[in-house]
Amino acid sequence: GDSVTQMEGPVTLSEEAFLTINCTYTATGYPSLFWYVQYPGEGLQLLLKATKADDKGSNKGFEATYRKETTSFHLEKGSVQVSDSAVYFCALSSSSGNTPLVFGKGTRLSVIA
Amino acid sequence: DTAVSQTPKYLVTQMGNDKSIKCEQNLGHDTMYWYKQDSKKFLKIMFSYNNKELIINETVPNRFSPKSPDKAHLNLHINSLELGDSAVYFCASSHLDQPQHFGDGTRLSIL
């Protein structure tokens, strides 16, 4: 079945450091790919998405590019802030709509001042 | 306006009890979901409903019974609660190929 593998955390960075969280997937067909973020004590919020190969999703300084050749969707940010501390989830949806998300195990990011 | 709202936010109860969690969305979406997040933060789909009809049941014990009275509501009833049911339960909704919107979660603790 479909699966998502993301790097294990926790990841601890100093403010203004560069962030990469790796995510690879296994899926049949052409999945849509997502990054969700969960701030402490809150629900999941969509951070960014990409629906086809070579699409780049971006939001709040975060970016991820859908790489079909490497089945990857790595999350990057050039300069993290303390407020970015959260758990980040990579996820896929196997078809065009209304199908459940398959999540990676989440990566906890802590940014220290 | 809250898009996907769940109640209660916290639920503490004893083993063997029966409890319900409610979910409502005001986005006009036609598909709703329940996910379970375990203590290690792993998220897994439990159920999916489309226009009040069950379309996915991911081998969840039959102590869990979802009910969708209309397409804006998807409630989760759990019978005979067990220690292993302790988790955070998230409701979500979506429409066509748009991303899912999540509620804030219900943290269920079994004593």
Side-chain angles (χ1 to χ4, degrees), chain A residues 13-15 18 22 40 53-54 57 66-67 76-77 79 81 83 88 97-98 109 111-113:
Chain A
L13 294 174
S14 298
E15 215 166 15
F18 185 86
N22 289 337
D54 300 325
Y66 189 145
R67 301 283 188 204
E76 296 182 337
K77 186 175 186 183
S79 175
Q81 305 300 312
S83 57
Y88 292 82
N98 288 349
L109 170 67
V111 180
I112 52 178

Side-chain angles (χ1 to χ4, degrees), chain A residues 4-13 17-25 34-38 47-48 61-65 67 71-78 80 84-91 104-111:
Chain A
V4 174
T5 303
Q6 62 182 103
M7 62 187 284
E8 301 224 0
V11 174
T12 302
L13 294 174
F18 185 86
L19 168 72
T20 300
I21 301 178
N22 289 337
C23 171
T24 56
Y25 67 89
F34 306 86
W35 278 99
Y36 280 83
V37 58
Q38 186 177 25
L47 183 59
L48 52 85
F62 291 89
E63 293 183 340
T65 301
R67 301 283 188 204
T71 61
S72 65
F73 193 55
H74 304 322
L75 182 68
E76 296 182 337
K77 186 175 186 183
V80 294
D84 293 327
S85 298
V87 181
Y88 292 82
F89 293 91
C90 186
K105 292 189 175 180
T107 302
R108 183 180 298 278
L109 170 67
S110 295
V111 180

Side-chain angles (χ1 to χ4, degrees), chain B residues 7-24:
Chain B
T7 54
K9 191 172 174 67
Y10 299 96
L11 187 51
V12 181
T13 189
Q14 295 198 329
M15 253 189 343
N17 284 351
D18 303 337
K19 291 292 178 186
S20 293
I21 307 171
K22 296 186 176 181
C23 179
E24 175 182 5

Side-chain angles (χ1 to χ4, degrees), chain A residues 38-42 108, chain B residues 6-13 21 37-39 41 85-90 104-110:
Chain A
Q38 186 177 25
Y39 297 103
E42 297 185 14
R108 183 180 298 278
Chain B
Q6 300 179 222
T7 54
K9 191 172 174 67
Y10 299 96
L11 187 51
V12 181
T13 189
I21 307 171
Q37 185 177 44
D38 64 22
S39 58
K41 297 287 190 183
D85 298 332
S86 294
V88 181
Y89 293 84
F90 285 99
D104 286 341
T106 296
R107 183 176 294 277
L108 174 62
S109 300
I110 310 302

